[in-house]
Amino acid sequence: MTSNLIKKMLDDWELRSNHVKEQVSTEVVLNKVDLIKIEALAETYELPASDLLANLIHTALLEVEEQMPYVAGDKVIRIEEGEPIYEDVGRTPEYMAAKARLEKK
């Protein structure tokens, strides 16, 4: 009988290994008050401040993407369930194009 604990550990290692491959280092300039908050959170949760900061940035970026407003233009780009869907003339298409271009680098 195989141990589920060993399988879980191996799965965790695989996830961590894949995650580490995607990490890059960059310099971030922070306000002193924000740095104190990050260090306090890191101490409280017994995590490296760099991991905590990376997680905060990741979560904030997901929220920003979700909250980017759709701005309906005049041009109909398709019909869904009989309703016209208008092109987005807001910042989302520009952002998505820049993101796709940078991901190809």
Side-chain angles (χ1 to χ4, degrees), residues 40-96:
L41 284 167
E43 185 179 311
T44 301
Y45 286 95
E46 299 177 2
L47 294 169
S50 60
D51 289 357
L52 194 134
L53 183 57
N55 189 258
L56 285 169
I57 291 170
H58 176 74
T59 302
L61 289 171
L62 290 174
E63 184 71 15
V64 166
E65 287 181 333
E66 188 176 298
Q67 296 297 324
M68 288 185 92
Y70 163 73
V71 180
D74 296 328
K75 181 180 174 185
V76 175
I77 56 173
R78 68 181 177 276
I79 304 293
E80 286 185 11
E81 298 179 8
E83 295 293 322
I85 304 297
Y86 296 92
E87 79 174 319
D88 187 341
V89 294
R91 299 235 184 227
T92 302
E94 181 182 350
Y95 167 73
M96 296 303 287

